[in-house]
Amino acid sequence: MDKNEGDDFLKEPLLQHSDSVTVTVYQDEVKKTRTIMFKIGNVKCASCVTSIESALGMVNGIRSIMVSVLQGQAVIKYAPDLINVKLIKEAIENLGFQVFEFPERDVAVCRLRVKGMTCTSCSESIENALLMVDGVKTAVVGLSLEEAKIHFDTTLTDSDELIQAIGDAGFEADLITTGNDGNKVHLCLEGITSNEDLTIIRSSLESVQGVNHVDMDTEANKVTILYDSEFTGPRSLIQCIQEAGQQPNFYHVSLYVSPSRREAESQHEILGYRNVFLWSCLFSVPVFIFSMVLPMVPPYGNWLSHKLYNMLTVGMILRWILCTPVQFIVGRRLFYVGSFYALKRRSANMDVLVALGTNAAYFYSLYILIKALCSNSFEGQDFFETSAMLITFILLGKYLEVVAKGKTSDALAKLTDLAPDTAFLLSFDGDGNIISENEISTSLIQKNDVIKIVPGAKVPVDGIVIKGQSHVNESMITGEARPMAKRPGDKVTGGAVNENGCLLVKVTHVGSETALSQIVQLVEAAQLNRAPVQKLADRVSRVFVPVVVVAAVLTWLCWFIPGEAAVYPKDWIPNAMDSFELALQFGISVLVVACPCALGLATPTAVMVATGKGASQGVLIKGGSALEKAHKVKIVVFDKTGTLTVGKPVVVNTMVFSDMPIQEFCEIAAAAEVNSEHPIAKAVVLHAKKLHQQYGLNSEHITEAEDFEVHPGSGVSGKVGDKMVFVGNKRLMAARNILLGTEVEDYMLESEQLARTCVLVAVDGRVAGALAVTDPVKPEAEQVISFLKSMNITSIMVTGDNWATATAIAKEVGIVKVFAETDPLGKADKIKELQLKGLAVAMVGDGINDSPALVAADVGMAIGAGTDVAIEAADIVLIKSNLEDVITAIDLSRKTLARIRLNYVWALGYNVLGMPIAAGILFPFTGIRLPPWLAGACMAASSISVVCSSLLLQSYKKPLHIEDTRGPVGYSNSV
C-alpha cells in the first residue's frame, strides 16, 4: 500500500454498512487526485447510498465514492483538474440530500516573482487582477521586492491560473514557492531510456517514508522531491534512486543546484536596461546633434537645411529615420506594452504619460514632415529630438533606478549567502570511532549527521556541539560582535564562523528549518507587508495620472488660445515656432515631468532597506506596519523573568550556621536537590559543582539522596548518608517543627530585601545553613532603561512575581512603576489600561505567559531565546535576547519613518515644483522653459533620488552599544 492510499484508508469510516457500495471509475491515465470527507444528511437506507454513489460515479473526474449509511459519511476521491469540490457538493444537493461539515476551503499560499512593475498603480492593478480570480482570498504585491504573495483556495484555482491572470494584466510572473514547500531537493537523472524508468523511479521515491511529493520533468530528466527531514534526506533519496536501477539500466543521480533566481533576474534586468539604453543612444545622440548642435555652428550644419523636395530638408529626413526606431522599437518595451495593458484594465500609470507625451511629439513632427513634403511655402519646426531624447533619458533613469533598487536588498542577499557550499561529513563505526571524512554539498546534509567544522570555516546548518571547544562568531546573524564560546551541548547556528578550535556538530535542522532560512523567510514576508503610511501614495496614485493628463491639456489650452488671440507678445514665441507648437511643448513637458514612480517607491524601498538592516543587527521586524507603529511608542512594558533578568537562577551567597565545612554543607544540599527538576534545585547543584572545581576536585559527581521526597511548594527531603536532610523554604521548616533562630530570620529578611530567594538547609532537625538564590539582572538592563528615559519613553515592569522581589529588581534597573503578582491575562489588561490613555505601548517578553500581552500591545517584542509562542505573537523579534535591541528597534523605526517622510518630500515636492515650471509659469518673467526631453530627465532623477535616499539607511548605526565587561555573577561564602 503506498502512502496516499494509506492516508485515504485512515479517512474511511470504521463502521461500514453491509449495503455500502463502492463505485470506481477507471481511466487510462490517472492524474493527481485529492480526497474529501464530509457528512450527508437524510441518508436512511442502502437505497439512498446506492443512488448517491451511482449518480456521482457517472460524473467525469470522480475516481471513487464510498458512503456509509450508519455514519452518514462520504469519502470521495476526485481529480481536481476535471472537477472541483463545489460541483461535487452541488451534485449531491441536486439529488435531494443535505451536505454538512463540507471542506469549503483548502487554502494554500504561493509566492510569485512579478516583472514589469513601475509604480504603485502597477502593483494595485496586479492585486485587483488576482482578486478577480475565483478562489483567491488575499493578494499582496510588493513593488520593491517585485513579488506577490497570494492565499487561494486550491479547490477553485492553482498557481498556473494565478500566473495567467498576471500575464493577462500585462506583466510577467514566475512561481517562486508554494505554501507546501518545505524541504525540497532537485536531482538530475542519467541513464533514463524510457518512460518505464521514470515510473520505476517515481514509485521507488513515493514508497520512501517522509516523501510528500515527487515532480518529474521528463524533458530535462530532473526530479524535484518534497520531503520531511524527520524521516529522510537527500542522500537517502539519491541512494533510493540508484538502488531502483537494475542491470543493465543503472541510474546515475547528481544534485541540481539552481542559480539564485533573485540575483540572476536582477542582473538580467540591469543588463537589459543598459543594452536598450545604449541602443537608444546610438540613434538619439545623432538626432540631438542634427537638431540642437550642428545648426548652431554654421557652416557645418548648413547641409542639414538642404531641401530635397518642396520644404522637406535633409535634417528632417535624418531626424525622422533615426527617431522612428527609438519611438517604436525601443519604446515598445519601455511603455507601449505597459500602457496598452493599463488602458485595457481601465487604469493609468507612468507608461501612459510617457506614451502620450512621446506620441504627441512624434506624430506632430510627422505631420510637420508630411506638410513640408506637400508644400513649397510651409515652414515648421519638428520635435523628433524631443521624442528620442525623452525616451533615452527615461531609459537612463530606469537603468540607474534598477541598479539602486538592487542594492536595497543587499542585507537580505548577504544573509542568504552566509551558509557555505560544502561541509565535511564524518562516518563512524560501531564503537563511535571516525572511519571516514568526506566533503559534500551543504544541500546533501541530513538530520543527525555529524559534521566537522574546522577553524575559519562557516557552520553550514544548525546543530549541537558533541565534541571540541571553540569561539564562534555569529555577528552576521545576531549582530553580536563578540565571539561566543561553544562547548559540547551548546547550539551552533548555520552561517556562523568558527574562529579557533575544531568542532564536531550533530545536525538538528536542515534546509528551510534552519534559523538562517527562517530569518530570511521572515524578512521577505516583512518586505511584502505594506506600511500604513503607504496608503497616502496609493490614494494619490489612483488619481495622479488623470489629473496630470487634465493639467497637460489645460496647459496646452492656456498657452494656445491666448497665443492665437495675441494676449501675450509675439516675441515670447521662439523663432521657427508658432503658438500651437509652443503650447504643445509646454503640454508635453507637463505630461512627462510628472512622476508617480517616485511616490510609489518612497515607502517600500525604505522598508526593504530597514528590515534588511534590522535583521543584520539582530532585530527582526515583521513588516512595514510593525516598523511604523514602533516609532510612536511612548511606554515600554517589560516582563521581569527572562527579560530584565537572565532567567536562570544562580546561587549568589552561602551562609553556614554551624561548624560544618562549607564544602560539606553544599554537597549535602546538592545531594538532596540533585533529583529535583526545579530551577532553584538546579542552581544549587551547579553551585556545588563549581565548588568542586574551586577546591581542585576532579570529579563533578553529586551523591544522590536516598528516600528522596518532593514537598510541593515547600522543598525536598532525603537521607544523605546517615543524615536526614530537608532543603526548602520557611514553610517546610515549620511543617517539620524545625526552629529558626534569630540569626536565620535576619539572614532571610536581608535576602528578601535584596530580591533573593532564601533556601534553608536543615540537617537532623537543625538549620545548618542557607543559600541565597537570585535570578541576576541582565548587565545592560539599567543602561537601557536610562537610555529609554532620554528618548522620552517611560519604562514599566509587569510580573507575576511577588511585590518584594519585583520592587527590588525595579529599583536596581531604575524602573519606577511596577505591577506585580499579575497573571497572563492581567498583563494584557494592564496594557489595555495604558492604551486607553492614548499612549502607544510596546511589550517586551519571552514566555508563553507573555503572549496575551504581546498581542494586546501596539508593538510586541519577543526575546529571541524565548518560547515559540511568544515569538509567533510578537511584531518584532530580538534575536540576541539583548535589551539594547529594544532601543535599536524603536530608533530604527524612527529613522525609517523620518526617511520615508523625506522621500515623500522629494517625490511630492518634485512634482509640486516641477509641474508648474514645466507648464511655463516662469517663462513670462525669466524666459526659462523646460523642454520635454529635459523634463523627462528630471522625471527619471526624481525616482533615483528617492531610491538613493532610502539606501542611506544602510549606514544606520545602533544608538546604544553596551560592551559587557562584567564576568559571570560572583558569589561569596560567609561562614
Side-chain angles (χ1 to χ4, degrees):
M1 179 184 294
D2 68 28
K3 185 177 182 301
N4 292 333
E5 289 176 352
D7 291 344
D8 298 340
F9 174 75
L10 292 173
K11 295 177 182 178
E12 292 175 6
L14 293 175
L15 294 174
Q16 298 180 7
H17 194 267
S18 57
D19 293 324
S20 293
V21 180
T22 301
V23 179
T24 306
V25 182
Y26 295 99
Q27 292 190 0
D28 294 333
E29 185 182 14
V30 179
K31 297 184 179 180
K32 61 180 180 179
T33 60
R34 292 182 184 149
T35 303
I36 55 168
M37 185 169 60
F38 51 90
K39 299 271 188 181
I40 301 178
N42 302 327
V43 178
K44 299 175 181 177
C45 60
S47 176
C48 298
V49 172
T50 304
S51 61
I52 293 171
E53 293 180 340
S54 299
L56 289 179
M58 298 172 65
V59 177
N60 185 28
I62 292 183
R63 304 302 186 203
S64 65
I65 316 103
M66 182 171 286
V67 181
S68 172
V69 69
L70 290 180
Q71 296 175 321
Q73 198 172 49
V75 178
I76 299 178
K77 185 181 285 188
Y78 69 99
D81 52 342
L82 298 177
I83 191 171
N84 58 47
V85 293
K86 189 176 179 182
L87 293 175
I88 295 173
K89 181 182 178 182
E90 289 175 356
I92 296 173
E93 288 175 340
N94 289 339
L95 295 172
F97 298 96
Q98 291 179 307
V99 177
F100 304 102
E101 300 179 17
F102 194 79
E104 294 287 352
R105 297 180 180 180
D106 182 10
V107 178
V109 184
C110 77
R111 288 169 53 223
L112 304 176
R113 174 92 60 233
V114 183
K115 303 174 189 173
M117 292 189 292
T118 57
C119 58
T120 52
S121 177
C122 298
S123 59
E124 278 197 353
S125 299
I126 295 171
E127 285 181 3
N128 293 333
L130 289 168
L131 290 171
M132 290 174 66
V133 177
D134 190 24
V136 172
K137 309 305 174 188
T138 61
V140 180
V141 180
L143 175 63
S144 294
L145 203 58
E146 295 185 330
E147 283 187 17
K149 185 177 182 180
I150 308 112
H151 290 76
F152 62 97
D153 187 345
T154 57
T155 62
L156 298 176
T157 188
D158 56 25
S159 56
D160 292 335
E161 287 188 31
L162 300 176
I163 292 172
Q164 182 62 43
I166 294 175
D168 292 341
F171 302 90
E172 294 180 46
D174 296 309
L175 182 66
I176 302 175
T177 59
T178 55
N180 59 355
D181 278 358
N183 287 303
K184 184 189 285 187
V185 64
H186 305 275
L187 302 174
C188 289
L189 305 175
E190 295 179 19
I192 306 298
T193 57
S194 65
N195 289 334
E196 186 180 351
D197 291 330
L198 294 174
T199 305
I200 291 171
I201 292 172
R202 178 188 286 274
S203 301
S204 300
L205 289 171
E206 289 178 342
S207 65
V208 175
Q209 184 182 12
V211 171
N212 298 327
H213 181 70
V214 178
D215 185 24
M216 307 285 291
D217 184 348
T218 54
E219 294 182 2
N221 280 347
K222 290 177 188 172
V223 59
T224 301
I225 308 154
L226 188 68
Y227 64 93
D228 186 341
S229 62
E230 291 289 343
F231 300 102
T232 188
R235 295 200 314 281
S236 301
L237 298 172
I238 289 173
Q239 184 180 356
C240 171
I241 296 174
Q242 290 173 338
E243 290 175 352
Q246 295 180 354
Q247 211 170 11
N249 294 333
F250 288 110
Y251 306 132
H252 300 282
V253 189
S254 59
L255 185 68
Y256 173 73
V257 181
S258 56
S260 173
R261 291 184 64 177
R262 184 190 297 276
E263 186 178 344
E265 287 173 0
S266 175
Q267 288 300 317
H268 178 74
E269 186 179 23
I270 290 171
L271 286 174
Y273 274 114
R274 189 198 69 176
N275 293 339
V276 174
F277 167 69
L278 292 176
W279 275 108
S280 183
C281 286
L282 184 65
F283 295 98
S284 299
V285 172
V287 171
F288 179 76
I289 292 171
F290 293 158
S291 60
M292 307 292 288
V293 179
L294 289 181
M296 305 296 176
V297 283
Y300 301 106
N302 292 346
W303 61 277
L304 292 170
S305 302
H306 177 71
K307 295 175 182 176
L308 296 175
Y309 185 78
N310 286 337
M311 302 301 290
L312 181 66
T313 64
V314 172
M316 279 186 184
I317 290 292
L318 287 175
R319 288 191 291 272
W320 171 62
I321 292 172
L322 291 169
C323 175
T324 300
V326 178
Q327 180 72 32
F328 296 107
I329 298 176
V330 175
R332 179 183 181 277
R333 170 182 170 169
L334 182 62
F335 55 80
Y336 273 124
V337 174
S339 57
F340 169 75
Y341 281 106
L343 295 173
K344 182 181 176 182
R345 56 181 180 261
R346 298 180 182 177
S347 67
N349 58 10
M350 190 200 75
D351 292 337
V352 174
L353 293 179
V354 176
L356 286 172
T358 57
N359 278 326
Y362 179 85
F363 285 107
Y364 175 75
S365 301
L366 189 62
Y367 160 76
I368 294 294
L369 184 145
I370 294 171
K371 196 166 183 182
L373 177 66
C374 299
S375 172
N376 57 9
S377 59
F378 172 76
E379 291 186 6
Q381 176 67 38
D382 64 84
F383 300 139
F384 285 120
E385 81 284 351
T386 295
S387 168
M389 293 303 296
L390 175 56
I391 291 171
T392 302
F393 273 112
I394 292 173
L395 272 173
L396 174 62
K398 279 289 179 187
Y399 169 65
L400 296 175
E401 184 184 321
V402 295
V403 170
K405 277 169 66 179
K407 295 184 183 296
T408 60
S409 58
D410 274 357
L412 190 61
K414 287 177 183 176
L415 280 174
T416 308
D417 295 337
L418 280 181
D421 295 328
T422 60
F424 291 101
L425 176 69
L426 303 181
S427 301
F428 298 84
D429 60 18
D431 297 326
N433 300 313
I434 299 174
I435 56 175
S436 68
E437 178 183 318
N438 297 308
E439 187 174 9
I440 64 169
S441 169
T442 301
S443 302
L444 293 176
I445 296 176
Q446 300 182 179
K447 267 190 183 177
N448 299 320
D449 281 346
V450 176
I451 54 177
K452 177 180 171 183
I453 316 295
V454 298
K458 288 183 178 179
V459 181
V461 291
D462 297 356
I464 296 176
V465 178
I466 60 172
K467 188 176 181 181
Q469 294 187 9
S470 182
H471 283 81
V472 174
N473 188 337
E474 299 177 337
S475 59
M476 282 300 292
I477 301 157
T478 66
E480 176 58 66
R482 294 175 303 164
M484 306 297 289
K486 299 293 179 182
R487 299 177 178 85
D490 290 342
K491 294 179 181 178
V492 289
T493 306
V497 179
N498 182 26
E499 295 214 333
N500 38 36
C502 183
L503 297 175
L504 300 190
V505 175
K506 185 176 181 179
V507 176
T508 57
H509 297 89
V510 295
S512 61
E513 300 167 358
T514 63
L516 187 59
S517 295
Q518 297 288 335
I519 290 170
V520 170
Q521 290 169 30
L522 195 150
V523 174
E524 286 180 336
Q527 292 175 349
L528 272 176
N529 187 301
R530 196 170 293 172
V533 71
Q534 175 71 21
K535 292 176 182 176
L536 170 65
D538 293 343
R539 285 195 296 268
V540 172
S541 67
R542 290 190 188 102
V543 297
F544 189 90
V545 174
V547 167
V548 169
V549 173
V550 170
V553 173
L554 289 176
T555 299
W556 177 74
L557 290 173
C558 288
W559 280 100
F560 175 61
I561 294 174
E564 289 297 301
V567 173
Y568 57 78
K570 289 286 185 184
D571 59 1
W572 282 15
I573 303 174
N575 294 332
M577 272 195 195
D578 56 25
S579 59
F580 176 86
E581 293 166 350
L582 179 65
L584 183 64
Q585 285 231 347
F586 281 127
I588 293 172
S589 294
V590 170
L591 273 178
V592 297
V593 81
C595 184
C597 297
L599 277 172
L601 292 169
T603 298
T605 52
V607 169
M608 177 177 276
V609 176
T611 50
K613 188 66 178 178
S616 67
Q617 300 274 6
V619 178
L620 288 182
I621 302 169
K622 296 182 180 179
S625 180
L627 191 66
E628 182 174 344
K629 286 188 290 186
H631 92 285
K632 300 176 183 176
V633 168
K634 293 297 179 186
I635 295 177
V636 178
V637 178
F638 291 93
D639 174 47
K640 182 183 76 71
T641 306
T643 302
L644 287 172
T645 64
V646 175
K648 189 176 181 181
V650 293
V651 176
V652 292
N653 188 271
T654 307
M655 180 71 77
V656 179
F657 302 114
S658 65
D659 57 358
M660 183 183 293
I662 188 171
Q663 186 180 353
E664 183 184 349
F665 167 74
C666 289
E667 284 184 359
I668 288 174
E673 293 274 34
V674 71
N675 287 319
S676 174
E677 290 297 319
H678 197 281
I680 290 179
K682 291 180 178 178
V684 172
V685 173
L686 181 62
H687 177 65
K689 290 180 177 179
K690 284 183 178 178
L691 279 180
H692 277 210
Q693 294 175 353
Q694 185 176 334
Y695 286 99
L697 298 178
N698 294 328
S699 173
E700 290 189 1
H701 176 69
I702 301 294
T703 304
E704 295 183 15
E706 298 176 359
D707 302 327
F708 174 76
E709 185 180 354
V710 176
H711 305 275
S714 301
V716 298
S717 64
K719 202 163 186 178
V720 181
D722 58 350
K723 298 180 177 70
M724 189 63 198
V725 181
F726 290 90
V727 182
N729 55 23
K730 189 176 180 178
R731 191 185 313 157
L732 179 64
M733 300 300 130
R736 297 296 165 177
N737 297 318
I738 299 172
L739 297 177
L740 305 179
T742 306
E743 190 180 10
V744 177
E745 293 278 8
D746 290 343
Y747 182 76
M748 290 178 66
L749 181 62
E750 181 187 347
S751 296
E752 287 177 2
Q753 289 173 344
L754 294 171
R756 296 172 179 175
T757 300
C758 190
V759 180
L760 301 173
V761 181
V763 179
D764 292 335
R766 293 182 59 190
V767 177
L771 301 107
V773 180
T774 188
D775 184 2
V777 170
K778 288 183 177 177
E780 73 275 9
E782 186 178 357
Q783 281 183 265
V784 168
I785 301 302
S786 176
F787 198 93
L788 285 171
K789 189 175 181 180
S790 70
M791 296 171 70
N792 295 320
I793 295 174
T794 304
S795 298
I796 295 174
M797 187 171 79
V798 58
T799 178
D801 212 336
N802 64 70
W803 277 99
T805 303
T807 305
I809 294 291
K811 185 177 179 181
E812 186 177 348
V813 299
I815 291 177
V816 177
K817 197 167 186 178
V818 180
F819 298 110
E821 298 177 7
T822 309
D823 63 16
L825 293 178
K827 291 181 181 181
D829 290 337
K830 295 295 181 186
I831 297 285
K832 292 171 184 174
E833 285 176 19
L834 294 168
Q835 289 171 327
L836 288 174
K837 298 177 182 178
L839 300 170
V841 181
M843 171 69 193
V844 186
D846 72 319
I848 293 174
N849 62 334
D850 296 322
S851 55
L854 289 169
V855 173
D858 296 286
V859 180
M861 300 187 189
I863 297 295
T867 63
D868 292 340
V869 175
I871 291 171
E872 185 67 28
D875 301 300
I876 298 173
V877 180
L878 311 179
I879 303 175
K880 284 188 299 181
S881 303
N882 196 321
L883 289 178
E884 70 185 54
D885 288 337
V886 173
I887 293 168
T888 303
I890 296 172
D891 185 67
L892 179 59
S893 169
R894 291 181 175 183
K895 294 285 197 304
T896 304
L897 266 293
R899 182 61 55 184
I900 289 172
R901 293 190 190 101
L902 181 61
N903 287 349
Y904 278 129
V905 169
W906 278 107
L908 287 170
Y910 160 81
N911 283 297
V912 168
L913 292 174
M915 287 179 66
I917 294 172
I921 196 170
L922 298 178
F923 185 65
F925 312 107
T926 63
I928 295 174
R929 64 187 179 92
L930 202 63
W933 61 269
L934 188 56
C938 292
M939 181 195 72
S942 69
S943 294
I944 298 167
S945 65
V946 166
V947 176
C948 291
S949 172
S950 294
L951 281 173
L952 290 176
L953 284 170
Q954 290 277 25
S955 60
Y956 173 80
K957 301 282 189 232
K958 286 185 176 185
L960 177 66
H961 185 73
I962 302 168
E963 289 291 341
D964 183 13
T965 56
R966 293 196 248 178
V969 177
Y971 53 89
S972 61
N973 300 318
S974 302
V975 181

